[in-house]
Amino acid sequence: MVKPRWVLAVTLWLGLAATIFWLLRTPDVHSVTPGPQLQAAQARQVLRVGVRSYPRPTDSREALVSEPDEMDSALARALAAYLKVPVQLRALPDRDPQALLKDGSIDVLIAGSLDLPTLQAQSRALDGPPSDYREGRMLALRNAPLPKSGLQGLSVCVAEGSPWNAQLQRLGTAPRIYPSSIRAAVAFMAGDCSLLADERNTLERLQAQPDWRFYRMLDTRLNASDDARVYLASNDLQSLAYLRAALHSWQRDGGQEQAWGLHGNAVLIDSLKVGQGLVCH
C-alpha cells in the first residue's frame, strides 16, 4: 500500500527535526576530548584557575588575604573534577583580570559574568541561572519615594561580574560596581546608592534579618545576561567545546544551583558579621 504524500512529508520532517536536535544537543562532558590547552593541564596534573577574590568582614586590623568567590571556585572545582586533576585557585588582580591569563600563570579564568571583550572568542558561558534562581531583584529604602519617571539615573550598588549588570544598564540606571556582593550591600546600607541589585533569593534572606527591615523589594525583575563565563588564553576550539559540555553537565548535575545557594549563604553570613560590627577591608 502506497502511503499518502502528506504522510511521507511528515515522516521526513520528523526525521529532519530529530537529526537537527541531535546535532544541536550538547554532549555529555565525559564524551568530549579536551583540547591542547586543557590536555596540558592534565599533563601537569593541576588545573590553575583565576577567580574573583576579596577579603571577608573581620575585626582584624592586619592586611587580609583575599578569599575566593564561592560561585567561581565551585565551578573551578567542578571543571578540575571533570578533568580528573586537582585545582589551584588564584586571585585575579583588580586592575587587569586578564593579566594572569596573558602571562600563562593560569589555564582558565572565571569571573562570574564579567565581560572581557578582548577574550570573547576564547570564552564559553551558561545561558542563565537555574530555575530556582532565575531572576535578580532590587532593594530600596522602604520609605524612599521613587521617581515617577522610573529608575533611570538611579544609582545601583552591584557586584563585579553580576549577571544583572547588563539589564541594569538597559533600564537606564547608574550601576556602581563593587568587588563583591557584601561590599555592594554595605555601600547600599551606607547610602552610597539608591538601590541594591542581587539574586532574588539572596535579597529575601537579607530582608529576613532585623538590620534589613527598613528596605523593600521592588517589583522590577532583572533577567540574567548569562550566569558564568569561562575564558581560555587562546581560541582552542576543542577545549572550548569541552568547556561547553562541562558547563552544561555542571548545570544538569545541580552544581550551578548549589553554587547560587553558596552565594546566598555567604552574603547572609557576611551581612551578619557586618551587623556585629566587623568591617570589610
Side-chain angles (χ1 to χ4, degrees):
M1 180 178 179
V2 178
K3 295 183 179 180
R5 289 184 177 179
W6 70 268
V7 174
L8 293 175
V10 169
T11 301
L12 289 172
W13 185 88
L14 290 174
L16 179 61
T19 301
I20 293 174
F21 173 80
W22 175 257
L23 291 174
L24 294 178
R25 185 179 68 89
T26 302
D28 181 85
V29 65
H30 302 295
S31 65
V32 180
T33 302
Q37 286 192 57
L38 296 180
Q39 287 179 359
Q42 288 179 316
R44 196 188 311 112
Q45 279 298 292
V46 63
L47 181 68
R48 305 167 303 173
V49 185
V51 296
R52 292 174 294 177
S53 301
Y54 39 83
R56 310 293 177 167
T58 178
D59 60 356
S60 174
R61 296 182 181 180
E62 298 178 359
L64 300 179
V65 177
S66 295
E67 298 180 24
D69 177 84
E70 290 79 15
M71 296 188 67
D72 293 356
S73 58
L75 178 53
R77 291 187 178 95
L79 293 177
Y82 288 138
L83 291 167
K84 299 181 179 179
V85 297
V87 67
Q88 181 184 87
L89 301 179
R90 296 284 301 275
L92 294 174
D94 294 333
R95 294 185 178 180
D96 184 9
Q98 305 176 50
L100 297 180
L101 203 57
K102 293 175 181 176
D103 66 18
S105 299
I106 58 175
D107 306 300
V108 172
L109 186 156
I110 303 174
S113 295
L114 187 65
D115 187 12
L116 301 175
T118 60
L119 291 178
Q120 282 304 308
Q122 290 94 267
S123 70
R124 284 293 180 266
L126 284 170
D127 296 332
S131 58
D132 288 345
Y133 299 86
R134 67 177 53 185
E135 64 180 34
R137 297 290 283 270
M138 289 179 282
L139 295 184
L141 195 62
R142 184 171 297 278
N143 296 323
L146 295 178
K148 294 182 179 180
S149 58
L151 303 178
Q152 290 190 355
L154 290 183
S155 57
V156 185
C157 290
V158 65
E160 184 176 41
S162 167
W164 326 116
N165 287 342
Q167 189 173 355
L168 288 173
Q169 293 178 354
R170 288 195 296 270
L171 289 172
T173 64
R176 294 183 181 176
I177 308 301
Y178 294 86
S180 65
S181 290
I182 187 58
R183 291 288 291 274
V186 169
F188 169 67
M189 294 184 78
D192 292 351
C193 308
S194 300
L195 305 171
L196 171 67
D198 210 308
E199 188 270 325
R200 174 178 55 82
N201 293 346
T202 300
L203 294 179
E204 287 178 347
R205 291 185 184 187
L206 291 179
Q207 282 189 294
Q209 305 308 310
D211 289 346
W212 290 84
R213 65 186 181 276
F214 303 108
Y215 305 97
R216 61 188 173 96
M217 187 176 291
L218 304 185
D219 293 332
T220 303
R221 288 171 166 78
L222 303 176
N223 297 318
S225 54
D226 52 51
D227 184 49
R229 298 182 187 179
V230 182
Y231 297 91
L232 295 173
S234 63
N235 197 18
D236 178 351
L237 296 181
Q238 186 58 35
S239 287
L240 289 171
Y242 184 89
L243 287 178
R244 180 171 183 262
L247 285 168
H248 283 271
S249 292
W250 184 60
Q251 186 175 41
R252 288 193 298 262
D253 294 343
Q256 185 189 26
E257 185 171 352
Q258 291 175 9
W260 272 105
L262 290 173
H263 166 78
N265 289 337
V267 174
L268 176 59
I269 291 172
D270 286 346
S271 174
L272 293 174
K273 290 180 180 178
V274 171
Q276 295 169 3
L278 306 188
V279 297
C280 299
H281 288 253

